Amino acid sequence: MGLTILVIGSGGREHVISQKLIQSPKVETVFCAKGNDGMKEDGIKLVNISEDDHLGLINFAKKNQVDWTFVGPEVPLLNGIVDDFTRAGLLAFGPMKAAALIEGSKDFAKNIMNKYKIPTADHQTFFDIDQAKAYVLKQGAPIVIKADGLAAGKGVVVAETVEEANNALKDMLENNKFGTSGTKVVIEEFLVGEEFSLLAFVRNQEVYPMVIAQDHKRAYDNDLGPNTGGMGAYAPVPQIPNDIVKEAIETILKPTASGMMAEGRAFTGILYAGLIATEEGPKVIEFNARFGDPETQVVLQRLESDFAQVIDDLLKGEQPEIKWKQDGYSVGVVVAAKGYPEAYQKGSLIPVFSTVDKEHIYYAGVTEEKGRLVSDGGRVYLVEASAKTLKEAQQAVYAVLNSVDTQGTFFRKDIGSKGMNEK
Ligand code: AMP
Ligand code: GLY
């Protein structure tokens, strides 16, 4: 009998995680709670239990003889879902609550980085608006203002002027725009350089880095418009040289994993470092305690080893074998509802895609109505393609998108272009 696995989450990230698991010859069944209707096309079984119902999920896992559970999003991790599963005698992959705090509090993450000399932007934490404003005035613009807690990628303002910075401080500290996430702010030096995401499988002090990716946070082409959860990604990132990645592994990932151990907050799960390659070397702009979305939809395409086997080994104390493809690129373009990341419409018809081997569709904000998928969220789906060159992969994605009716939605036309400009 093969493995029975439960994946928690419902976006494109969880779609690709579930799909890679189900493709493994070791795996019999993949359940996803709650998942989305688009995942059913891949044989993933949806479970109608919400990600905050830990007890419901534990009971489901026991009743269905789930071998282990993979937790996709940050919210259940920060709510201690892995602690709860572990207490119930179940295996779950992801950091415990105490370790997930590296994503849950920017202030906590900054303290870890200071203590263990991990390169990051200079910064200071404030509760008081007058003190914060005085600091901004002293530092000058551009400057970065971050709400302390989780804000779904939207709690960061890169202020071009002191006035813009002051407005952001007012929103966070006075108007509670981000609720309790914004009662404390971190003000940070603006870093100049190319951005990239370096993720790793981590088990205590062991760090197994992945192929790097680049996300596109702004809504529109040429990095214009508001910040979003991510509008597309590609991997690897050719303009970031290997020695920078090696340096980031040595100066950032490894000391972070061992620092968390030393703090009594040993981290097991996916550690995501959002980095900027500055002239002084790579520096951290954020840590996440989970896979990135949309990075995962491209990074997992680069994995040559069996994903289910890797997680199984990590959970069971075995030595994992993790091999990455040496050649080729993957590009993923997010299709979002018109209006996203502000108010957007729901109910647009999702096109029916033809089954072409090298292309993949990963669904996120969709639901089934009268037998057809319609949009039901901000980020609706992602189209991914892999090819020998970045250009071919990009062309393949846009060929798919240009061949269908994308009514009610929009997508960026330049995902992957940065990787070609500088070559
Ligand atoms: P975050 O939510 O922390 O990933 O921040 C959102 C975006 O703001 C990042 O993807 C960066 O493009 C930008 N950003 C955050 N911190 C900095 C920084 N210190 N310097 C320059 N850009 C930053
Ligand atoms: N793509 C950025 C994130 O998942 O946080």
Side-chain angles (χ1 to χ4, degrees):
M1 253 297 264
L3 294 168
T4 298
I5 298 169
L6 170 63
V7 175
I8 294 175
S10 60
R13 167 183 54 205
E14 287 76 23
H15 189 170
V16 70
I17 289 169
S18 301
Q19 185 207 51
K20 294 297 166 195
L21 291 172
I22 214 167
Q23 282 170 352
S24 161
K26 281 187 63 85
V27 174
E28 182 89 21
T29 307
V30 175
F31 292 110
C32 190
K34 287 184 163 181
N36 67 63
D37 286 332
M39 295 180 181
K40 292 192 285 195
E41 290 175 12
D42 287 331
I44 298 154
K45 295 190 174 147
L46 304 191
V47 178
N48 192 17
I49 304 175
S50 124
E51 63 186 45
D52 11 278
D53 183 3
H54 297 189
L55 193 60
L57 291 165
I58 286 169
N59 288 338
F60 177 88
K62 284 187 174 163
K63 202 165 138 209
N64 291 277
Q65 278 146 22
V66 166
D67 291 283
W68 45 261
T69 297
F70 190 104
V71 187
E74 62 276 20
V75 172
L77 291 169
L78 279 155
N79 288 338
I81 197 167
V82 175
D83 310 54
D84 290 342
F85 269 65
T86 307
R87 268 195 292 271
L90 296 170
L91 286 176
F93 190 76
M96 299 277 194
K97 183 175 179 165
L101 199 62
I102 197 158
E103 170 163 7
S105 165
K106 294 197 194 289
D107 187 37
F108 170 80
K110 285 292 191 185
N111 286 333
I112 291 284
M113 289 186 264
N114 278 355
K115 188 162 171 189
Y116 297 97
K117 311 243 170 327
I118 294 155
T120 185
D122 284 340
H123 64 278
Q124 225 160 305
T125 303
F126 294 92
F127 296 88
D128 179 80
I129 187 153
D130 294 324
Q131 285 175 11
K133 281 184 172 170
Y135 182 76
V136 164
L137 202 60
K138 195 171 101 212
Q139 299 295 317
I143 194 156
V144 183
I145 317 284
K146 301 188 173 184
D148 179 61
L150 291 183
K154 289 153 205 152
V156 174
V157 176
V158 179
E160 305 289 342
T161 62
V162 169
E163 193 190 346
E164 216 182 307
N166 286 342
N167 288 339
L169 289 171
K170 205 168 162 187
D171 276 347
M172 292 179 197
L173 289 171
E174 275 185 10
N175 302 341
N176 288 323
K177 191 165 167 192
F178 298 99
T180 51
S181 289
T183 53
K184 178 154 111 177
V185 299
V186 174
I187 304 184
E188 199 170 277
E189 162 199 16
F190 177 76
L191 296 177
V192 180
E194 186 104 15
E195 209 172 321
F196 65 105
S197 308
L198 171 61
L199 287 77
F201 299 97
V202 174
R203 179 172 59 189
N204 303 321
Q205 74 285 357
E206 296 165 55
V207 171
Y208 304 97
M210 302 189 200
V211 167
I212 61 169
Q214 189 170 62
D215 189 8
H216 296 69
K217 294 242 163 81
R218 301 299 190 108
Y220 314 129
D221 287 8
N222 302 314
D223 292 333
L224 296 174
N227 266 320
T228 69
M231 294 298 293
Y234 61 100
V237 188
Q239 68 278 29
I240 304 283
N242 260 334
D243 55 332
I244 303 268
V245 179
K246 286 208 180 99
E247 186 181 340
I249 293 166
E250 295 305 320
T251 63
I252 294 165
L253 291 183
K254 288 185 179 173
T256 302
S258 52
M260 292 296 278
M261 291 268 300
E263 295 293 307
R265 294 173 185 265
F267 189 104
T268 291
I270 307 295
L271 182 62
Y272 167 128
L275 305 174
I276 291 190
T278 74
E279 275 182 356
E280 296 162 17
K283 292 191 182 182
V284 176
I285 52 172
E286 66 165 343
F287 279 121
N288 292 324
R290 44 145 183 105
F291 267 119
D293 190 338
E295 286 95 330
T296 313
Q297 290 89 315
V298 293
V299 168
L300 284 185
Q301 315 299 338
R302 313 312 315 151
L303 181 63
E304 197 163 271
S305 309
D306 181 328
F307 181 53
Q309 183 70 54
V310 171
I311 303 298
D312 200 60
D313 287 340
L314 287 168
L315 279 168
K316 293 177 181 165
E318 307 287 335
Q319 182 62 40
E321 193 201 73
I322 306 176
K323 280 208 186 114
W324 298 92
K325 291 176 186 156
Q326 293 303 308
D327 298 308
Y329 292 86
S330 299
V331 173
V333 175
V334 170
V335 177
K338 272 190 186 145
Y340 175 79
E342 307 296 335
Y344 54 81
Q345 261 194 328
K346 295 181 179 182
S348 304
L349 211 50
I350 309 298
V352 178
F353 295 96
S354 66
T355 327
V356 183
D357 286 342
K358 67 179 185 178
E359 279 90 28
H360 300 116
I361 314 296
Y362 296 106
Y363 292 102
V366 297
T367 189
E368 202 177 288
E369 264 176 28
K370 298 186 198 124
R372 281 290 301 269
L373 291 176
V374 299
S375 70
D376 187 42
R379 290 191 291 180
V380 183
Y381 60 93
L382 172 145
V383 178
E384 180 275 330
S386 298
K388 210 165 170 55
T389 67
L390 187 54
K391 193 165 185 69
E392 285 169 318
Q394 185 192 52
Q395 282 169 344
V397 173
Y398 288 116
V400 172
L401 281 168
N402 292 330
S403 72
V404 294
D405 180 359
T406 53
Q407 55 163 308
T409 60
F410 75 101
F411 55 87
R412 277 181 62 159
K413 311 282 189 301
D414 63 346
I415 304 301
S417 297
K418 250 187 265 169
M420 291 176 248
N421 293 341
E422 300 169 37
K423 284 231 87 183

